[in-house]
């Protein structure tokens, strides 16, 4: 089925991968297309299998999850990465989000919540816990990005506002009566003008500087 979400599991513990696979394989709209035991293998498998969503552990031997995220970004791999971790410290989760993760969940997450998180990031949403969002924002306190906001057009500010609201490109297109291609162009322009790497940083910038609905 073309609309099923293809998922890659990247974790150095086989029992964790097995548990995730067992649960996800009973979902009607999710296919587990592969597994990897470390970051380097995860990057290689993501390039080979072209998953929609990668469930990625942070702490792994060799290439860890943060380095794997950076490598996927360098390769322009379109997969959305959802961090699945047992670590609750901000110093563990924040670098992964800054490296391009679409969000994170803990390994003791309720199974139905995990499936919902996969569907959410696949749809283009960003999953941030309030305390981690606050930590990311505090790291931006001394940046000078606010002045760059003046270069945005009115339409780009509308799009940025909806990004901050967690909307996907499809939802933004529907809300503003635009094509998805036009929305993608606006998003690219916003990232370029604000010197940001991804939608997560754009959403945080918008909250930090009051560009919200």
């Amino acid at each position: 089925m073309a609309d099923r979400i293809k998922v890659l599991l990247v974790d150095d513990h086989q029992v964790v991968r097995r548990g995730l696979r067992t649960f996800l394989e009973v979902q009607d709209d999710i296919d587990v297309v592969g597994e990897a035991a470390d970051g380097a293998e995860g990057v290689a498998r993501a390039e080979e299998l072209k998953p929609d969503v990668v469930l990625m552990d942070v702490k792994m031997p060799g290439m860890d999850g943060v380095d794997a995220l950076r490598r996927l970004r360098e390769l322009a791999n379109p997969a959305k990465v959802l961090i699945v971790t047992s670590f609750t410290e901000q110093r563990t989760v924040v670098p992964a989000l800054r490296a391009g993760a679409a969000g994170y969940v803990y390994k003791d997450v309720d199974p139905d919540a995990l499936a919902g998180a996969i569907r959410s990031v696949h749809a283009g949403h960003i999953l941030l816990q309030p305390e981690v969002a606050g930590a990311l924002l505090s790291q931006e306190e001394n940046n000078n990005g606010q002045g760059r906001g003046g270069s945005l057009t009115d339409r780009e500010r509308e799009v940025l506002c909806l990004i901050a609201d967690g909307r996907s490109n499809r939802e933004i297109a529907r809300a503003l009566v635009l094509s998805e291609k036009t929305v993608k162009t606006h998003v690219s322009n916003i990232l370029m003008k604000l010197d940001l790497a991804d939608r997560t940083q754009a959403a945080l910038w918008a909250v930090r500087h009051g560009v919200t609905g």
Side-chain angles (χ1 to χ4, degrees), residues 91-127:
R91 66 177 180 271
T92 298
V93 177
V94 168
L97 293 170
R98 292 184 66 84
Y104 75 97
V105 294
Y106 297 127
K107 287 186 177 178
D108 61 356
V109 65
D110 178 86
D112 289 333
L114 175 60
I118 291 171
R119 296 179 184 112
S120 183
V121 298
H122 178 249
H125 297 296
I126 298 166
L127 298 180

Side-chain angles (χ1 to χ4, degrees), residues 9-23:
L9 308 177
V10 184
D11 194 292
D12 59 316
H13 292 101
Q14 184 178 12
V15 66
V16 172
R17 299 198 308 272
R18 184 177 299 163
L20 290 170
R21 178 183 282 274
T22 298
F23 167 69

Side-chain angles (χ1 to χ4, degrees), residues 32-180:
V32 177
V33 296
E35 301 180 16
D38 59 43
E41 184 183 4
V43 171
R45 296 287 278 166
E47 286 291 282
E48 172 194 356
L49 299 171
K50 307 299 182 187
D52 300 305
V53 177
V54 178
L55 299 190
M56 179 92 73
D57 192 11
V58 177
K59 299 293 187 180
M60 294 181 286
M63 182 184 286
D64 65 15
V66 175
D67 286 338
L69 275 160
R70 291 174 180 146
R71 181 58 181 153
L72 287 173
R73 176 182 288 172
E74 290 171 359
L75 294 169
N77 190 292
K80 307 293 177 57
V81 177
L82 179 64
I83 293 296
V84 183
T85 180
S86 57
F87 295 91
T88 60
E89 299 92 342
Q90 293 179 0
R91 66 177 180 271
T92 298
V93 177
V94 168
L97 293 170
R98 292 184 66 84
Y104 75 97
V105 294
Y106 297 127
K107 287 186 177 178
D108 61 356
V109 65
D110 178 86
D112 289 333
L114 175 60
I118 291 171
R119 296 179 184 112
S120 183
V121 298
H122 178 249
H125 297 296
I126 298 166
L127 298 180
L128 292 178
Q129 297 291 341
E131 67 274 13
V132 173
L136 281 166
L137 289 171
S138 68
Q139 292 182 7
E140 301 293 336
E141 281 293 325
N142 295 322
N143 72 16
N144 60 357
Q146 188 164 9
R148 295 194 296 266
S151 65
L152 298 179
T153 66
D154 289 342
R155 178 63 85 187
E156 287 165 354
R157 293 179 72 86
E158 287 180 315
V159 171
L160 180 58
C161 181
L162 291 171
I163 290 174
D165 195 37
R167 306 287 191 92
S168 66
N169 283 353
R170 179 175 298 179
E171 291 169 330
I172 294 172
R174 187 179 301 119
L176 299 180
V177 195
L178 300 170
S179 70
E180 284 191 61

